Amino acid sequence: MKKELTRQQYLDLYYYMRLNRAVEDTMVKLFRQNKIVGGLYSSLGQEAISVGTAYALEKKDWLAPMIRNIGALLVKGVPPRDVFMQHMAKYDSPTKGKDGTSHFGDLENLHIVSPISMLGDLIPVMTGVAMAGRYLGQKIVTMTWIGDGGSSTGVFHEGLNFAAVQKAPFVLILENNLWAYSTPVKRQVPLENLADRAKAYGISSYIVDGNDVVAVYSTTREAVARARAGEGPILIEAKSFRRLGHAQHDPAEYVPKEMRAYWEGRDPITLYEKFLMGEKLLDAKSKKEMEAKIDTLLAAEREFAENSPMPPPEFAATGVYCTGDDCHKIQAKWERPISEVTPPKSSVKAAWTVAGFGSGKSSGGANAPIHFGDTKNSIEIPASGGKVSGKNGAKPTVKKSGKAATSSTTRKVKR
């Protein structure tokens, strides 16, 4: 780790990683008490990725987390109580108890797009958000995450190609945690570095140690700046390890013991603490104060969540489908004069002029139903595709320039 940030930035990264882990530890307790009604997916050992990448974004930027990116939500400003209540399906949760995991967002204030269970689908979605921001002159960057397994889905490639072609200001974080459920990376991808997949789409990529939060932050900050400057999308592969199973039900017995032991010795929070201590940015007293601050916060947030009621039964049939303005208004936030991005100023002539094909007019000056160019001499061809012939097998009649045929049974071709 290199000392290149302000003292507050260093401590912010430490705080959010510790908060990330403490929130998940609290949820494990709630899960074992049967107070969490949905699945629980751990990011143990991967906190540096979620925190370091999200911390590199500006407030106006947009992100779309996946199930192991609770740290990114916390950095963006989501209170722990919302995370607790969401998993407990409480009525005061962001989705009013209609989801038992982290499928929630905040489009209005925090610029968070809800996770999508179909892995990879967030890539084209966030590409679209990036394009919309560019269209509105907002100078935003969008970000989402994908796992090593998810990078093998079709929409990963389709979405990344789409982002590359559009030069969208988009950053994709590929969390290579070595396991797609119980499938190791080497059994699914014949590549040493998944960042090489960016080459197929002509975009830049980085490889970073996902357990070094400063390296993750610094790399992402550079990628975000490049995307914002118009260089197009960038892929960052963060190499790490999933320390627990796919979810609470999975003991991950398929992971070799020596592999687990190695990565437990590279815990991102422990590594970062050693760095902070060595640089005199943290000491035993300030560490204890931060731990007390987090404990106090989470005790209050957990109490609020547990006291929140369950949704009333009659609420089950409401809020399932958006019915229009009575649900919520969806409209663009214009940051450029509307006249610049609406007709007539935004309009272009719907014609592609190519030599020999004209510009949409027939030889007679009228719009042709099927246009094959401005031709002075033309022949009539039956729409049925039959043979072209004149009377008694004579040569086809050649029409001189004049009124264009308008019959739906003929079309004009250049002779």
Side-chain angles (χ1 to χ4, degrees):
M1 296 182 186
K2 297 180 180 179
K3 189 175 180 181
E4 55 187 26
L5 312 180
T6 67
R7 183 177 187 276
Q8 188 58 54
Q9 287 176 317
Y10 281 119
L11 294 179
D12 281 350
L13 292 172
Y14 181 65
Y15 171 78
Y16 283 118
M17 281 204 296
R18 291 296 302 266
L19 181 62
N20 183 168
R21 185 165 295 184
V23 165
E24 292 192 11
D25 286 345
T26 301
M27 287 199 294
V28 169
K29 295 173 183 177
L30 293 170
F31 183 88
R32 291 172 178 173
Q33 294 171 355
N34 289 326
K35 294 178 180 178
I36 283 182
V37 299
L40 185 58
Y41 306 88
S42 172
S43 67
L44 180 65
Q46 297 178 225
E47 296 91 346
I49 301 176
S50 293
V51 170
T53 53
Y55 194 73
L57 295 173
E58 294 183 11
K59 186 176 181 180
K60 65 181 178 180
D61 295 330
W62 288 70
L63 60 76
M66 288 180 54
I67 55 176
R68 301 190 202 280
N69 298 124
I70 286 177
L73 294 176
L74 298 172
V75 170
K76 255 296 191 177
V78 174
R81 66 177 60 182
D82 283 359
V83 178
F84 294 155
M85 291 189 295
Q86 188 69 21
H87 284 77
M88 298 167 75
K90 292 301 187 81
Y91 189 58
D92 294 321
S93 71
T95 60
K96 299 295 184 183
K98 289 190 178 292
D99 181 72
T101 56
S102 58
H103 295 95
F104 70 98
D106 184 343
L107 304 181
E108 188 66 29
N109 300 309
L110 299 181
H111 297 171
I112 298 172
V113 174
S114 174
I116 298 175
S117 293
M118 286 66 74
L119 301 182
D121 281 46
L122 283 168
I123 296 172
V125 169
M126 297 312 287
T127 296
V129 174
M131 292 169 62
R134 181 172 59 195
Y135 181 76
L136 297 173
Q138 296 175 342
K139 295 287 285 186
I140 63 168
V141 172
T142 65
M143 177 184 292
T144 192
W145 293 258
I146 191 71
D148 46 275
S151 71
S152 295
T153 60
V155 73
F156 168 91
H157 297 278
E158 294 167 1
L160 203 55
N161 183 71
F162 176 47
V165 169
Q166 297 297 330
K167 294 201 74 173
F170 166 64
V171 176
L172 176 61
I173 311 300
L174 200 168
E175 297 182 88
N176 184 351
N177 62 21
L178 303 182
W179 294 91
Y181 210 130
S182 59
T183 303
V185 173
K186 294 299 183 182
R187 294 291 298 274
Q188 57 159 318
V189 183
L191 293 172
E192 180 179 353
N193 299 311
L194 299 182
D196 289 346
R197 289 186 150 170
K199 295 178 181 178
Y201 308 108
I203 65 175
S204 298
S205 64
Y206 294 88
I207 299 173
V208 66
D209 179 358
N211 287 35
D212 182 341
V213 70
V214 175
V216 171
Y217 165 72
S218 299
T219 302
T220 308
R221 180 182 59 185
E222 180 177 323
V224 167
R226 291 178 60 185
R228 202 184 308 278
E231 293 189 33
I234 294 176
L235 170 68
I236 299 175
E237 178 188 358
K239 294 181 182 290
S240 187
F241 177 73
R242 196 192 69 211
R243 295 254 298 274
L244 291 178
H246 178 70
Q248 284 292 309
H249 65 273
D250 174 22
E253 294 176 348
Y254 43 81
V255 177
K257 293 181 180 180
E258 58 273 18
M259 175 183 283
R260 185 186 303 281
Y262 170 80
W263 284 98
E264 286 177 349
R266 298 199 71 252
D267 182 273
I269 296 180
T270 301
L271 291 176
Y272 194 45
E273 279 182 359
K274 292 179 179 178
F275 169 76
L276 294 177
M277 294 285 191
E279 296 294 335
K280 309 300 182 184
L281 296 167
L282 183 73
D283 55 28
K285 179 182 178 183
S286 56
K287 177 184 175 181
K288 189 173 182 179
E289 290 174 349
M290 186 173 290
E291 290 173 346
K293 177 182 178 181
I294 291 174
D295 289 344
T296 301
L297 170 66
L298 294 190
E301 297 290 274
R302 175 176 176 171
E303 181 180 6
F304 183 95
E306 293 202 67
N307 290 331
S308 174
M310 298 299 289
E314 60 270 19
F315 184 67
T318 65
V320 179
Y321 298 102
C322 178
T323 53
D325 286 350
D326 59 326
C327 174
H328 65 285
K329 293 183 181 298
I330 301 177
Q331 57 186 3
K333 294 183 178 180
W334 303 102
E335 297 190 14
R336 288 164 55 188
I338 296 180
S339 62
E340 288 185 10
V341 289
T342 53
K345 285 189 177 181
S346 68
S347 299
V348 294
K349 190 174 183 180
W352 181 31
T353 302
V354 180
F357 279 77
S359 58
K361 296 289 184 180
S362 69
S363 58
N367 286 320
I370 301 177
H371 179 66
F372 285 84
D374 292 335
T375 57
K376 291 186 177 182
N377 296 324
S378 59
I379 59 175
E380 292 186 3
I381 297 179
S384 62
K387 290 184 177 181
V388 178
S389 62
K391 189 175 181 181
N392 297 323
K395 291 182 179 181
T397 301
V398 177
K399 286 188 175 182
K400 299 298 182 182
S401 177
K403 187 174 181 180
T406 58
S407 170
S408 62
T409 61
T410 61
R411 55 193 175 101
K412 312 292 276 189
V413 299
K414 185 177 180 181
R415 187 173 183 181

